[in-house]
Amino acid sequence: MAAADPSGIQEPPRSVGGILRRVGPGFVLAGTLVGSGELIATTATGAEAGFTLLWLIILGCVIKVFVQVELGRHTVTHSQSSLSALNSVPGPRISVPVAGKRVGANWIVISWFLMFVATIVLFGGIIGGLGQSLAITVPITEKGRAFNEHRDLAVSLKVKETQLPKTTDEVERQELSREIEELETKLAAMGKPEPSSDDKVWAAIVMLPTILLLVIGRYGFIEVFAFVLVSSFTIVTIVNLFLLQGYESWSISSREFMDGLKFSLPEASGDKTPLYTALATFGIIGVGAADQVLYPYWCLEKGYAKWSGKNDGSIAWKERARGWMRVLQWDAWSSCALYTFTTVAFYLLGAAILGRIGLVPEGSEMIRTLAVMYEPVFGEFAQTLFLFGAFAVLYSTFFIGNAGHCRTASDVLCVMNATENTEASRARWIKRFAVLLPIISTGIYFAVGKPKALVILGGVAQALLLPMIAFAALHFRHKTCDPALRPGRVWDCMLIVCLVLFISIGLYLAFTTVTRNL
């Protein structure tokens, strides 16, 4: 067991078991990734692009870890929050007089703030998905029940119509044809019901206990909360993917999988823009820009910097810091392995089922469409199982994402000199934002009502910020990194690759977003 002293300094663990007992911040981030990145954006990309962009999805998960660890290295070395560190990067600054003092920040922090606003929009999509899942599970109004029945029949009809031409067994073909006729008759008799507002009512109901949990939440509770919710649904999804291989109509061939690993790009068709969706997804799968900034905060709360102690240049500090950096890297890469595997599973499900059917999860049908991915394996229990899982991962994303944003929002006020730079001031503002942010994101969903669009917008904003985060990581590596913690040349090369890749993706998304809206 690691020794500790009254100052909070602890010797780092040396064994693999001891290291694994001290990981955590990366898995807290994983709790936010599965909801917005994997469940919504990744499956939407698979539905639009088929298997073609599997390579991009894997790259999006793995490549960003180099920048993530570099930001963590700066935190262990200097015990400094992300935004405070980013504000020290050279470049233009904006500062204005407010109440007798100068309030402002540099170009990266200001860009982060714009992304922060877009991420609140993304959370509007997340709570919208939560509202939809609960409205399908427990409709509140008669209109909601009628709407659910109609849409369930319509989606089931589309699935069976897709299966019919792929079925070779004659008896099974006749059975499918009979079921299709019955569904068509029922839908014709029902007519088209009006959409209900049950999803918005449920979104408001979910918002209230979330505020309470955010106000009283602590790191340990958040860490356990993320692990339990995400791991349960992740296991179900992976089992679903493997069992799917036993179904002729839905199984994924080795050729399809290998084609997805080739560096090829799909073509846009109709309303589908798979490359744009994929690159927006790139911004939020794995450790997106918002998560890059959040990661050092969770490292601080976990204790990596405190356990290393103040950087006094001593040999003892260097040894401790190297040891805790080893733990941090295990944390980052082990969580990367988890969410990459999960992301690939969601992508393959989206391509194998939604892509073949021609369904794209969007609008008021997003959650119902996503549930189709579980029907071939779990049959009539698919929707119930999926809705439980969707609630688990979406709520985990909404809760943990807001918990992180409360911390960054309170810290940015200190960094900009807009409030006192004290722990007491930060604590007060964290509680205030714990009330304010869920209300704002819920209000955004009420106003827009398109969860997928809100999530993709947040993904675009995060992708645009990634080059700036990578630039800051390079600055920390070459200007502020302690010699005892410096990485090797291969690591330096990967940081440069990150910067070039992020700039290229950011330019493409910026150009495409502007031209699409002209």
Side-chain angles (χ1 to χ4, degrees):
M1 189 179 212
D5 69 19
S7 68
I9 292 174
Q10 294 187 23
E11 292 301 318
R14 305 297 179 184
S15 66
V16 173
I19 289 173
L20 291 177
R21 284 192 292 271
R22 292 305 186 103
V23 301
F27 292 90
V28 171
L29 288 185
T32 68
L33 303 177
V34 176
S36 58
E38 278 73 358
L39 181 61
I40 298 176
T42 303
T43 50
T45 302
E48 292 189 29
F51 298 95
T52 311
L53 293 177
L54 176 60
W55 64 271
L56 182 62
I57 296 300
I58 296 173
L59 179 66
C61 289
V62 176
I63 194 69
K64 289 178 257 182
V65 180
F66 294 94
V67 174
Q68 172 190 354
V69 170
E70 203 57 44
L71 296 179
R73 194 191 316 276
H74 182 87
T75 295
V76 170
T77 305
H78 302 284
S79 299
Q80 192 176 24
S81 71
S82 303
L83 290 172
S84 180
L86 292 175
N87 198 43
S88 67
V89 175
R93 301 183 65 86
I94 295 178
S95 181
V96 295
V98 176
K101 59 183 179 180
R102 305 294 297 185
V103 175
N106 74 349
W107 60 291
I108 296 183
V109 173
I110 291 170
S111 300
W112 170 86
F113 179 77
L114 296 176
M115 183 277 302
F116 171 80
V117 173
T119 306
I120 296 175
V121 172
L122 183 151
F123 288 150
I126 299 301
I127 198 166
L130 276 166
Q132 286 185 15
S133 65
L134 288 168
I136 295 170
T137 309
V138 188
I140 297 173
T141 63
E142 186 59 40
K143 185 185 290 186
R145 283 186 283 273
F147 182 78
N148 283 346
E149 183 180 359
H150 180 274
R151 297 313 303 158
D152 287 342
L153 291 173
V155 170
S156 181
L157 174 61
K158 191 158 188 176
V159 172
K160 293 182 185 303
E161 287 176 339
T162 302
Q163 284 180 285
L164 185 61
K166 299 177 181 178
T167 303
T168 55
D169 183 85
E170 186 59 32
V171 175
E172 190 176 346
R173 284 180 61 85
Q174 291 178 1
E175 179 65 20
L176 278 173
S177 297
R178 184 186 63 78
E179 291 176 356
I180 288 172
E181 289 179 7
E182 289 180 357
L183 288 170
E184 289 175 338
T185 301
K186 288 180 180 179
L187 283 169
M190 289 180 67
K192 187 175 181 180
E194 296 180 10
S196 75
S197 58
D198 288 8
D199 57 328
K200 294 180 179 178
V201 175
W202 272 117
I205 292 172
V206 169
M207 176 192 71
L208 296 175
T210 301
I211 292 174
L212 177 63
L213 288 173
L214 287 171
V215 169
I216 65 175
R218 293 294 184 270
Y219 176 83
F221 169 76
I222 294 169
E223 186 177 75
V224 173
F225 188 89
F227 178 79
V228 172
L229 286 184
V230 174
S231 61
S232 59
F233 188 50
T234 297
I235 292 170
V236 171
T237 298
I238 292 171
V239 169
N240 181 43
L241 178 64
F242 279 102
L243 292 179
L244 195 68
Q245 305 316 301
Y247 294 79
E248 181 184 3
S249 301
W250 308 111
S251 63
I252 302 166
S253 68
S254 58
R255 181 178 178 179
E256 287 173 321
F257 185 84
M258 295 308 296
D259 284 345
L261 298 179
K262 296 177 181 177
F263 293 97
S264 57
L265 299 175
E267 295 182 1
S269 60
D271 294 332
K272 296 181 180 179
T273 53
L275 183 59
Y276 182 85
T277 302
L279 292 180
T281 300
F282 185 97
I284 48 178
I285 58 173
V287 185
D291 303 307
Q292 296 278 6
V293 175
L294 280 171
Y295 184 67
Y297 287 89
W298 296 127
C299 289
L300 287 171
E301 292 206 22
K302 180 70 174 178
Y304 293 157
K306 177 181 67 177
W307 296 335
S308 297
K310 185 178 179 181
N311 183 359
D312 56 7
S314 66
I315 294 176
W317 177 85
K318 292 176 182 179
E319 287 299 317
R320 285 195 306 272
R322 276 195 288 260
W324 286 113
M325 270 305 303
R326 189 182 305 114
V327 175
L328 186 148
Q329 289 186 318
W330 271 80
D331 174 75
W333 287 109
S334 58
S335 60
C336 173
L338 171 66
Y339 60 67
T340 299
F341 191 71
T342 306
T343 303
V344 169
F346 276 107
Y347 181 84
L348 292 176
L349 285 175
I353 298 180
L354 301 183
R356 289 168 176 168
I357 297 173
L359 285 173
V360 176
E362 56 189 351
S364 61
E365 298 298 301
M366 183 186 73
I367 293 297
R368 182 176 280 102
T369 301
L370 291 173
V372 172
M373 298 188 299
Y374 296 75
E375 285 186 9
V377 171
F378 295 104
E380 62 184 21
F381 301 105
Q383 190 175 89
T384 301
L385 180 67
F386 173 78
L387 291 172
F388 167 78
F391 178 84
V393 297
L394 288 172
Y395 190 74
S396 174
T397 297
F398 187 70
F399 174 73
I400 298 170
N402 273 295
H405 275 58
C406 290
R407 285 154 174 79
T408 52
S410 63
D411 189 43
V412 79
L413 294 178
C414 298
V415 169
M416 296 176 67
N417 198 33
T419 188
E420 298 176 74
N421 190 4
T422 64
E423 288 303 316
S425 176
R426 282 189 174 87
R428 285 195 300 271
W429 278 104
I430 285 174
K431 293 187 183 298
R432 291 167 184 170
F433 283 119
V435 176
L436 188 61
L437 295 183
I439 292 174
I440 294 174
S441 56
T442 305
I444 290 171
Y445 175 66
F446 281 15
V448 178
K450 296 180 179 180
K452 179 200 166 188
L454 296 174
V455 170
I456 294 299
L457 176 60
V460 170
Q462 292 202 41
L464 293 175
L465 186 67
L466 279 173
M468 305 176 200
I469 302 295
F471 175 81
L474 275 168
H475 171 76
F476 297 149
R477 160 64 187 89
H478 292 286
K479 298 297 182 182
T480 68
C481 184
D482 190 280
L485 301 182
R486 283 177 185 166
R489 291 182 179 179
V490 173
W491 190 273
D492 290 344
C493 289
M494 292 308 300
L495 287 176
I496 294 172
V497 169
C498 288
L499 179 60
V500 173
L501 180 63
F502 295 166
I503 290 174
S504 301
I505 291 174
L507 289 174
Y508 173 86
L509 286 173
F511 175 78
T512 307
T513 302
V514 170
T515 54
R516 286 177 63 177
N517 292 282
L518 287 178

